[in-house]
């Protein structure tokens, strides 16, 4: 086995040491739950009768109690393109389970919110907290004690983190995540970006913009750009929680169905009554979490996971922080260029070697932990394989990763990367701590020093842009966008106008206690700034004209104001809470949310996790 890179080893030891007590408490919990928790054999007859009353032909097997009963937790809806293919999965999974003497039931459904639909709209203020709602929904489904394993059906932004958080509280169960795959490639992403910027400048109308968007998002499957949804799939791969090569097979294909079938068969082999018991809480350990960070950095994945990964880790008793990301980013090279960091999409990435090549090459470079407990192999290297159908019978087999990338404009070896670092930096100073994704930002733009223009709403920024008030070097500050303020919506619709200003030759940056899209773009941005404005974060004291210095190279985020004047300033007045679109129902989550660096979760904070 290749020797682990010293910095990867050091960060892993740092995480282990920091998590020692909380991880021990978690492992004790799942051991108790396995031995003394709520399980089918312990259910009273009335409980059990309710649980199998509608199970039809599976009823005798469930009554007998000798075979695994798989709980399906599904995030299906047919409005969200990525999750529309899940509609018929439960009936297929039941058939696949019967093939090996097992049974399956839908344990419960979860919300599946589409950020693409709510982006820039009021509903986006529910987005982050939908993750905790999904975790709660998964917990409700699994709480019945009817199941010896779980199949999690989810792909997109908050959905996979939410499913993982919920399932980890039942970490004694074996669990496999089952994706449904990306839609086939449509309009090239660069062309879509071009039309968006033309629309922001008023050079094309809504008709042309809608035609462009419809040609890009055109069918069933995950969006093909490398945002949060596809970063989720990458992380599940490098954590060994998928069947090998499962992430980026298109929906509706025989190969996709064969891999789903294999996942259900495999789930029956790793149950607690066999000799290959692999509970989720043991699969997700400190090394697996470090692998997820490394994979995120190596592929230029979504900045949203600087929030989601700490929350997922906490559910398993593991504590990580943004310094872990920063230290790993210094040694993990960027080996993939997938839009918005490159021209090609995830289908092109998959064809170029995809996740199998990424996993194999990063293990060989000593950057991934190979010695983790996965759902489908002896080590992570067994996941560096691609599924294929062979022969007239379409027998499923798994082939080793290609020795070299098949398209070096999309994918490169760690020895010859696109850039030497992972492109996600911690910046800090007298404004707090924030995340800066550098992988899509030109190196000469990674240090900006310019006057601030302060806003409390992204629509105010759009209005100022249209009025010509931002035609200069400027650091756009958008505050009161954190979890406690308004639920931390993504500020995705700022990307086109800020990109226009940058293309016009201005030095432009964004500083916010909110989020950008999972597809953070070419404009330098310090995002997730903590502490946020609500509760006294320093961003609340910035005034128009203050000089702000943002430098990824220096790891610096500072306002250059005389210290005495700075300390004398009062905090800005918080805008009133938004009403309508259900936002008022989530007030308790906003009020209880902790910092973005811990995951921005009221649920985990209240649970003491």
């Amino acid at each position: 086995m290749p020797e682990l890179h010293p910095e990867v080893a050091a960060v892993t030891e740092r995480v282990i040491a920091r998590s020692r007590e909380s991880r021990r408490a978690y492992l004790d919990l799942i051991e108790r739950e396995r031995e003394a928790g709520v399980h089918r054999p312990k259910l009273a007859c009335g409980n059990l009768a309710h649980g199998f009353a509608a199970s039809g032909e599976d009823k005798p097997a469930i009554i007998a109690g000798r075979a695994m009963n798989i709980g399906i937790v599904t995030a299906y809806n047919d409005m969200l393109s990525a999750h529309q293919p899940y509609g018929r999965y439960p009936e297929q999974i039941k058939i696949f389970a019967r093939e090996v003497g097992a049974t399956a039931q839908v344990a419960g459904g979860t919300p599946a919110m589409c950020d693409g639909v709510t982006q820039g709209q009021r509903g986006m203020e529910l987005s982050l907290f939908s993750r905790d709602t999904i975790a709660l929904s998964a917990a409700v489904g699994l709480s019945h004690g009817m199941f010896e394993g779980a199949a999690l059906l989810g792909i997109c932004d908050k959905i996979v983190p939410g499913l993982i958080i919920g399932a980890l509280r039942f970490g004694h169960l074996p669990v496999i995540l089952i994706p449904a795959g990306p839609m086939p490639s449509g309009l090239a992403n660069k062309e879509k970006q071009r039309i968006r910027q033309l629309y922001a400048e008023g050079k094309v109308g809504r008709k042309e913009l809608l035609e462009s968007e419809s040609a890009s998002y055109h069918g069933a499957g995950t969006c093909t750009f490398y945002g949060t949804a596809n970063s989720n799939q990458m992380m599940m791969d490098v954590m060994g929680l998928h069947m090998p090569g499962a992430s980026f097979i298109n929906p509706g294909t025989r190969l996709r169905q064969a891999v789903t079938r294999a996942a259900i068969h495999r789930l029956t082999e790793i149950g607690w009554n066999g000799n290959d018991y692999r509970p989720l809480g043991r699969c997700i350990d400190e090394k697996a979490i470090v692998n997820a960070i490394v994979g995120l950095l190596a592929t230029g994945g979504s900045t949203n996971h600087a929030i989601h990964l700490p929350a997922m880790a906490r559910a398993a008793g593991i504590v990580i922080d943004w310094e872990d990301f920063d230290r790993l980013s210094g040694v993990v090279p960027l080996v993939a260029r997938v839009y918005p960091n490159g021209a090609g999409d995830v289908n092109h990435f998959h064809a170029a070697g995809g996740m199998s090549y990424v996993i194999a090459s990063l293990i060989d470079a000593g950057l991934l932990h190979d010695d983790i407990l996965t759902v489908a192999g002896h080590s992570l290297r067994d996941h560096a394989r691609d599924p294929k159908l062979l022969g007239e019978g379409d027998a499923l087999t798994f082939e080793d990763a290609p020795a070299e990338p098949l398209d070096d404009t999309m994918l490169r070896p760690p020895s010859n990367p696109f850039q030497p670092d992972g492109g996600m930096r911690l910046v800090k100073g007298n404004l707090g701590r924030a995340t800066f994704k550098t992988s899509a930002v030109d190196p000469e733009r990674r240090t900006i020093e310019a006057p601030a223009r302060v806003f409390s709403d992204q629509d105010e920024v759009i209005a100022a842009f249209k009025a010509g008030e931002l035609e200069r070097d400027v650091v756009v500050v958008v505050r009161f966008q954190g979890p406690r303020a308004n639920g931390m919506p993504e500020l995705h619709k700022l990307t086109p106008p800020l990109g226009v200003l940058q293309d016009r030759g201005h030095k432009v940056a964004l500083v916010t206690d909110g989020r950008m899209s999972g597809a953070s773009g070419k404009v330098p941005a310090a995002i997730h700034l903590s502490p946020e404005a609500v509760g006294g974060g320093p961003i609340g004291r910035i005034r128009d004209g203050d000089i702000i210095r943002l430098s990824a190279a220096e790891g610096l985020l500072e306002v250059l104001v005389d210290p005495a004047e700075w300390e004398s300033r009062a905090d800005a007045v918080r805008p009133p809470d938004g009403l309508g679109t259900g936002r008022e129902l989530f007030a308790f989550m906003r009020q209880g949310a902790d910092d973005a660096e811990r995951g921005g979760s009221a649920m985990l904070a209240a649970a003491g996790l």
Side-chain angles (χ1 to χ4, degrees):
M1 186 171 68
E3 184 176 352
L4 195 64
H5 190 287
E7 189 67 357
V8 176
V11 170
T12 304
E13 286 303 315
R14 183 174 187 260
V15 172
I16 290 171
R18 189 193 303 125
S19 309
R20 188 161 283 115
E21 293 303 317
S22 54
R23 179 64 174 170
R24 182 183 297 117
Y26 174 76
L27 294 177
D28 288 346
L29 168 71
I30 64 172
E31 186 62 27
R32 291 195 305 272
E33 288 294 290
R34 181 188 177 187
E35 298 300 328
V38 179
H39 306 307
R40 262 196 303 163
K42 298 179 181 180
L43 294 179
C45 291
N47 303 136
L48 194 56
H50 278 85
F52 62 63
S55 58
E57 65 183 277
D58 290 327
K59 188 181 293 187
I62 296 175
I63 291 172
R66 290 188 292 270
M68 175 184 281
N69 190 32
I70 297 168
I72 303 166
V73 181
T74 176
Y76 163 74
N77 67 46
D78 63 6
M79 176 274 297
L80 175 49
S81 65
H83 286 208
Q84 185 271 349
Y86 282 139
R88 299 191 66 182
Y89 271 45
E91 62 188 85
Q92 294 172 3
I93 288 171
K94 291 177 183 182
I95 293 170
F96 301 151
R98 291 176 195 136
E99 290 173 345
V100 288
T103 57
Q105 296 176 288
V106 175
T110 77
M113 186 172 185
C114 181
D115 288 359
V117 176
T118 58
Q119 197 69 253
Q121 307 299 319
R122 291 186 300 175
M124 200 34 178
E125 295 183 20
L126 279 59
S127 176
L128 176 61
F129 297 138
S130 76
R131 181 195 65 198
D132 290 7
T133 307
I134 290 161
L136 294 168
S137 300
V140 169
L142 295 176
S143 69
H144 295 91
M146 287 288 294
F147 313 108
E148 291 77 45
L152 306 184
L153 310 186
I155 293 175
C156 287
D157 295 19
K158 270 68 55 192
I159 299 157
V160 167
L163 289 172
I164 289 288
I165 291 168
L168 275 168
R169 305 316 295 175
F170 298 80
H172 59 290
L173 296 177
V175 170
I176 294 181
L177 285 99
I178 299 178
M183 68 179 69
S185 300
L187 180 72
N189 284 299
K190 288 290 187 183
E191 177 63 11
K192 176 183 68 177
Q193 182 187 52
R194 186 183 73 86
I195 298 296
R196 284 179 175 177
Q197 288 205 176
L198 289 174
Y199 179 76
E201 294 178 273
K203 295 180 179 178
V204 301
R206 182 178 172 86
K207 179 176 180 291
E208 291 82 2
L209 179 64
L210 184 57
E211 288 175 352
S212 168
E213 298 291 341
S214 299
S216 178
Y217 308 115
H218 61 89
T222 317
C223 305
T224 59
F225 67 89
Y226 194 49
T228 310
N230 289 315
S231 297
N232 278 334
Q233 304 315 299
M234 174 280 303
M235 291 196 308
M236 297 304 101
D237 278 345
V238 299
M239 295 171 78
L241 300 176
H242 279 168
M243 291 300 290
S247 287
F248 301 126
I249 304 165
N250 298 128
T253 62
R254 287 181 296 176
L255 181 58
R256 168 55 67 195
Q257 187 175 75
V259 174
T260 299
R261 181 176 183 237
I264 298 305
H265 289 186
R266 179 59 182 160
L267 190 53
T268 66
E269 297 169 355
I270 60 176
W272 66 40
N273 291 325
N275 296 321
D276 198 12
Y277 175 47
R278 303 189 183 201
L280 179 66
R282 292 281 183 180
C283 289
I284 298 181
D285 64 4
E286 297 91 338
K287 291 180 179 180
I289 292 293
V290 169
N291 276 2
I293 300 173
V294 169
L296 190 71
L297 297 167
T299 58
S302 168
T303 54
N304 278 328
H305 289 302
I307 300 171
H308 297 322
L309 264 173
M312 293 161 64
R314 284 168 72 184
I318 299 166
V319 183
I320 59 174
D321 63 23
W322 290 343
E323 185 177 336
D324 299 322
F325 285 77
D326 189 63
R327 289 178 58 174
L328 289 170
S329 186
V331 300
V332 174
L334 182 70
V335 300
R337 283 282 190 201
V338 192
Y339 183 82
N341 300 336
D345 64 20
V346 295
N347 291 310
H348 305 125
F349 166 73
H350 184 60
M355 287 308 305
S356 65
Y357 178 78
V358 167
I359 291 172
S361 63
L362 291 177
I363 291 173
D364 289 340
L367 295 169
L368 283 177
H369 290 281
D370 188 25
D371 57 334
I372 63 172
L373 182 66
T374 74
V375 299
H378 297 293
S379 67
L380 183 60
R381 190 176 291 277
D382 288 336
H383 286 250
R385 298 183 296 162
D386 289 306
K388 307 288 183 183
L389 295 178
L390 298 180
E392 293 183 5
D394 281 347
L396 180 65
T397 187
F398 292 89
E399 296 181 354
D400 289 343
E404 299 291 337
L406 304 180
D407 180 351
D408 66 5
T409 68
M410 295 288 304
L411 198 53
R412 290 186 183 174
S415 58
N416 181 33
F418 292 101
Q419 64 183 48
D421 63 81
M424 195 177 292
R425 298 300 309 274
L426 170 66
V427 290
K428 56 187 179 179
N430 61 6
L431 288 176
R433 293 158 67 89
T435 299
F436 187 136
K437 183 176 178 180
T438 63
S439 53
V441 178
D442 288 340
E444 63 271 17
R445 297 188 182 276
R446 293 177 188 173
T447 295
I448 300 287
E449 187 174 305
R453 178 68 190 275
V454 184
F455 303 90
S456 296
D457 182 89
Q458 59 181 325
D459 289 329
E460 295 173 356
V461 182
I462 303 295
F465 168 77
K466 290 180 177 179
E469 297 172 8
L470 302 179
E471 290 289 341
R472 55 184 173 83
D473 292 354
V474 62
V475 175
V476 172
V477 176
V478 189
R479 61 192 175 200
F480 296 110
Q481 304 299 307
R484 295 176 62 192
N486 62 354
M488 209 179 193
E490 289 181 349
L491 307 178
H492 177 67
K493 68 181 182 181
L494 298 184
T495 300
L498 296 182
V500 168
L501 294 172
Q502 183 170 276
D503 289 349
R504 290 174 181 170
H506 302 303
K507 295 179 180 179
V508 182
L510 174 70
V511 173
T512 181
D513 50 8
R515 294 185 292 146
M516 283 294 285
S517 168
S520 304
K522 63 186 181 180
V523 176
I527 59 179
H528 314 156
L529 180 59
S530 297
E532 63 174 290
V534 171
I539 189 175
R541 288 186 244 160
I542 300 174
R543 303 291 181 262
D544 285 343
D546 287 350
I547 302 299
I548 293 178
R549 181 172 180 82
L550 170 62
S551 175
E554 302 168 47
L556 186 66
L557 175 60
E558 288 194 339
V559 59
L560 307 181
V561 176
D562 178 76
E565 179 189 344
W566 181 249
E567 291 302 321
S568 69
R569 287 183 180 176
D571 293 332
V573 177
R574 176 184 178 178
D577 286 344
L579 296 175
T581 322
R583 289 175 290 175
E584 56 275 12
L585 301 178
F586 288 78
F588 75 102
M589 287 192 173
R590 291 193 298 272
Q591 292 165 5
D594 51 19
D595 286 348
E597 189 167 2
R598 301 198 69 223
S601 172
M603 176 186 69
L604 295 174
L609 299 176

